[in-house]
């Protein structure tokens, strides 16, 4: 079935370090891909998305490129901040109307100053 | 973007009682809403898809008689946890899909004592 696989966490970095969180997917057809962020005790916020191959989603310094050939959507940021500490979820949606998002297991990022 | 209100944000109840969680779409009509459950430090697991005016579609393994979902209007879906037990303690999140893509509620922390 359709699924999303994320790298296991937690990821612990110092401020200004480079971040990569790997995400790969399995899906029938051509899904849309998303990264969501969840801060402690809160719901999910959309961080970025891409809807077709080679699209690059970007927001708040984060980037991810939809790679159809490797079925990947890795999240990157050049210089993390303490405020980026959160749980990051990779997700996909199939293009049929009314279908739910399918999430990866989430990766906890902890950034220290 | 879309605004989704989920209430209550947290609730503590005694074993054997029922708890109702509301999810409201404030600025657009949502024919489809989703209910997710999140265990501590784990991903979001889709529980059911709620369609306005019809019965919800439950995911495999989710007890429909225990988790009652009602989507009586285009702006409101409710999840009722019936005869709650400590193992039902979890974080429940609703989501809607609309003109702005997927929007999540802020979640409900349920603790059953």
């Amino acid at each position: 079935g359709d699924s999303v696989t994320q790298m296991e966490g937690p990821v612990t970095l110092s401020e200004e370090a480079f971040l990569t969180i790997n995400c790969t997917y399995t899906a029938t057809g051509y899904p849309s891909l998303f990264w969501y962020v969840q801060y402690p005790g809160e719901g999910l916020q959309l961080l970025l998305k891409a809807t077709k191959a080679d699209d690059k989603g970007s927001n708040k310094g984060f980037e991810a490129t939809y790679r159809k050939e490797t079925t990947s959507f890795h999240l990157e940021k050049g210089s993390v901040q303490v405020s980026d500490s959160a749980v990051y979820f990779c997700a996909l949606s199939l293009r049929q109307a009314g279908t739910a998002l399918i999430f990866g297991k989430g990766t906890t990022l902890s950034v220290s100053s | 973007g879309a605004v989704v209100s989920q209430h209550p944000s947290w609730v503590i109840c005694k074993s054997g009682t029922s708890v109702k969680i509301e999810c409201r779409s404030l600025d657009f009509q949502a024919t489809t809403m989703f209910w997710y459950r999140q265990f501590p430090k784990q991903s979001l697991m889709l529980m059911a898809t709620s369609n306005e005016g019809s019965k919800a579609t439950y995911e495999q393994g989710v007890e429909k008689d225990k988790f009652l979902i009602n989507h009586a209007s285009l702006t409101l879906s409710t999840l009722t946890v019936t005869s709650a037990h400590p193992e039902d303690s979890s974080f429940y999140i609703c989501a809607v899909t609309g003109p702005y893509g997927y929007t999540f509620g802020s979640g409900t922390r349920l603790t059953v004592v």
Side-chain angles (χ1 to χ4, degrees):
Chain A
D2 305 308
S3 64
V4 175
T5 302
Q6 284 182 243
M7 63 185 287
E8 295 282 333
V11 174
T12 303
L13 296 172
S14 297
E15 206 164 23
E16 299 183 2
F18 183 85
L19 168 71
T20 299
I21 300 178
N22 290 337
C23 171
T24 57
Y25 68 89
T26 301
T28 53
Y30 302 99
S32 294
L33 301 173
F34 306 81
W35 277 101
Y36 281 85
V37 58
Q38 185 179 33
Y39 297 100
E42 298 184 12
L44 273 73
Q45 301 175 28
L46 178 63
L47 182 59
L48 53 85
K49 68 178 183 181
T51 57
K52 62 182 187 297
D54 299 326
D55 267 3
K56 177 186 282 188
S58 61
N59 185 27
K60 299 180 181 179
F62 291 89
E63 293 183 340
T65 301
Y66 189 143
R67 300 288 188 198
K68 180 172 172 240
E69 63 276 13
T70 55
T71 62
S72 65
F73 193 54
H74 304 323
L75 182 68
E76 296 181 339
K77 186 174 185 181
S79 175
V80 295
Q81 304 300 313
V82 173
S83 57
D84 293 327
S85 298
V87 181
Y88 292 81
F89 293 93
C90 186
L92 70 82
S93 78
L94 303 175
R95 296 190 184 276
Q96 297 94 317
T99 57
L101 284 167
I102 298 170
F103 288 90
K105 292 188 175 182
T107 302
T108 299
L109 171 64
S110 178
V111 181
S112 57
S113 58
Chain B
V3 180
V4 175
S5 173
Q6 187 173 341
H7 178 82
S9 56
W10 60 271
V11 58
I12 301 173
C13 71
K14 292 184 177 180
S15 287
T17 62
S18 296
V19 173
K20 180 184 285 188
I21 302 169
E22 294 186 347
C23 181
R24 292 182 183 273
S25 172
L26 298 184
D27 54 356
F28 72 95
Q29 295 180 331
T31 55
T32 303
M33 294 185 177
F34 307 100
W35 287 96
Y36 289 86
R37 180 175 182 177
Q38 185 181 29
F39 292 98
K41 299 185 179 182
Q42 295 190 29
S43 187
L44 284 78
M45 302 302 297
L46 179 66
M47 298 176 67
T49 301
S50 168
N51 296 296
E52 187 269 336
S54 63
K55 291 183 178 180
T57 302
Y58 290 81
E59 295 299 301
Q60 190 173 11
V62 178
E63 299 176 61
K64 61 180 67 176
D65 294 331
K66 180 165 189 62
F67 299 100
L68 300 180
I69 292 173
N70 183 282
H71 192 159
S73 77
L74 288 170
T75 59
L76 174 65
S77 176
T78 60
L79 167 67
T80 301
V81 183
T82 62
S83 186
H85 288 94
E87 57 265 31
D88 299 324
S89 298
S90 194
F91 193 58
Y92 294 88
I93 306 176
C94 70
V96 304
T97 179
Y100 306 107
Y102 295 89
T103 304
F104 287 83
S106 56
T108 298
R109 172 75 58 193
L110 170 63
T111 302
V112 184
V113 298

